[in-house]
């Protein structure tokens, strides 16, 4: 029974966010295509782990760990944000490249969120099941980490759609990856501040909460912008 509760606690945040973005879509995508996107998000977990392990070894060695803010920032961007968002973009491209249902601006966000939350759900399971105090981990990640992946995905999907339907400029193309990488990197850098010392971690956590509020406001604005664009 405990395992079932842990599994529900791990998956529920991603499921709720998927349902939210699904309800926002006025012309629903086929269920099998949404499941394909989620499956791609799950499928990239293994290559992401391998790449992150290799980069981590190159930066910090076999038993090394970040001890300064420079180290944690490097880990946040080079070990986590860049590999994860790059593979998510690859997965999104694989889902959308020959997708006949990708015909509305909001679709980019829908499919990107499916990819991002597929990834986040499996990641969340690994975190929750690997801690003795799993309940507090599940709660903190439900409030911060999983919504973080949702926000990163919204940014990626927004710029993917803008590039596909509206503006094929190099600037927009760069933003497809740069926007989620920057958001993800800043998020992780603030979250990892506690690895330096508890005082820095406390300050980082306060700034992290503020950053998350601003990031989700921006993500919500992107969602509403594309919903309105499809109405016109």
């Amino acid at each position: 029974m405990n395992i079932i509760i842990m599994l529900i606690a791990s998956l529920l945040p991603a499921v709720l966010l998927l349902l939210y973005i699904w309800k926002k879509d006025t012309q629903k995508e086929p269920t099998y295509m949404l499941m394909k996107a989620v499956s791609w998000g799950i499928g990239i977990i293994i290559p992401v782990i391998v790449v992150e392990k290799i980069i981590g070894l190159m930066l910090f060695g076999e038993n090394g760990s970040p001890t300064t803010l420079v180290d944690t920032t490097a880990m946040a961007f080079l070990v986590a944000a860049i590999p994860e968002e790059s593979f998510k973009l690859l997965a999104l491209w694989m889902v959308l490249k020959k997708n006949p249902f990708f015909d509305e601006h909001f679709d980019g966000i829908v499919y990107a969120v499916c990819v991002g939350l597929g990834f986040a759900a499996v990641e969340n399971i690994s975190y929750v099941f690997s801690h003795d105090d799993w309940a507090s981990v599940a709660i903190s990640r439900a409030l911060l980490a999983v919504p973080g992946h949702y926000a990163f995905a919204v940014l990626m999907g927004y710029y993917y759609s803008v590039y596909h339907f509206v503006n094929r400029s190099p600037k927009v193309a760069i933003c497809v990856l740069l926007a989620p990488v920057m958001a993800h990197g800043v998020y992780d850098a603030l979250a990892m501040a506690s690895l330096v010392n508890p005082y820095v971690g406390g300050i980082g956590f306060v700034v992290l909460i503020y950053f998350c509020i601003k990031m989700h406001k921006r993500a919500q604005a992107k969602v509403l912008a594309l919903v309105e664009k499809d109405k016109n």
Side-chain angles (χ1 to χ4, degrees):
M1 179 61 72
N2 201 41
I3 293 177
I4 295 175
I5 295 173
M6 292 170 70
L7 194 59
I8 292 173
S10 302
L11 295 177
L12 188 59
V15 171
L16 291 176
L17 288 168
L18 279 170
L19 286 174
Y20 169 76
I21 215 69
W22 177 79
K23 287 186 68 175
K24 284 287 185 183
D25 190 11
T26 54
Q27 295 190 31
K28 300 292 189 284
E29 302 303 294
T31 301
Y32 78 92
M33 289 303 301
L34 299 179
M35 293 306 300
K36 179 180 179 180
V38 172
S39 298
W40 267 101
I42 295 171
I44 61 173
I45 285 282
I46 298 301
V48 165
I49 291 174
V50 172
V51 170
E52 289 183 341
K53 182 67 174 177
I54 292 171
I55 297 174
L57 287 172
M58 292 172 61
L59 290 176
F60 304 108
E62 186 74 34
N63 300 310
S65 59
T67 56
T68 68
L69 287 176
V70 173
D71 289 345
T72 54
T73 301
M75 176 172 278
F77 280 90
L78 300 179
V79 180
I82 293 176
E84 289 182 19
E85 299 307 322
S86 296
F87 274 98
K88 288 179 192 175
L89 180 55
L90 173 62
L92 181 61
W93 178 74
M94 292 297 294
V95 172
L96 295 182
K97 65 174 182 174
K98 294 182 180 179
N99 185 346
F101 305 104
F102 181 34
D103 55 3
E104 292 184 299
H105 297 83
F106 192 62
D107 293 347
I109 288 180
V110 172
Y111 286 108
V113 167
C114 286
V115 170
L117 290 180
F119 180 92
V122 177
E123 183 185 66
N124 216 34
I125 290 172
S126 68
Y127 273 93
V128 171
F129 277 76
S130 63
H131 285 79
D132 293 331
D133 188 15
W134 64 267
S136 62
V137 172
I139 291 170
S140 64
R141 290 187 60 81
L143 295 175
L144 293 173
V146 177
H149 280 287
Y150 161 82
F152 311 150
V154 168
L155 293 174
M156 181 179 289
Y158 172 83
Y159 285 108
Y160 197 105
S161 278
V162 170
Y163 181 79
H164 183 81
F165 292 110
V166 181
N167 182 357
R168 289 183 174 264
S169 69
K171 180 180 178 180
V172 175
I174 291 171
C175 285
V176 176
L177 182 58
L178 182 62
V181 163
M182 291 302 297
H184 193 157
V186 171
Y187 174 96
D188 278 4
L190 293 170
M192 292 178 185
S194 60
L195 297 175
V196 177
N197 67 59
Y199 301 105
V200 174
I203 295 171
F205 182 75
V206 173
V207 179
L208 176 63
I209 298 300
Y210 174 78
F211 175 76
C212 285
I213 292 171
K214 298 292 287 186
M215 178 174 66
H216 283 285
K217 284 184 177 179
R218 184 173 183 182
Q220 183 65 6
K222 301 295 187 189
V223 167
L224 296 178
L226 292 194
V227 168
E228 287 300 315
K229 201 166 188 65
D230 287 332
K231 290 180 181 179
N232 297 331

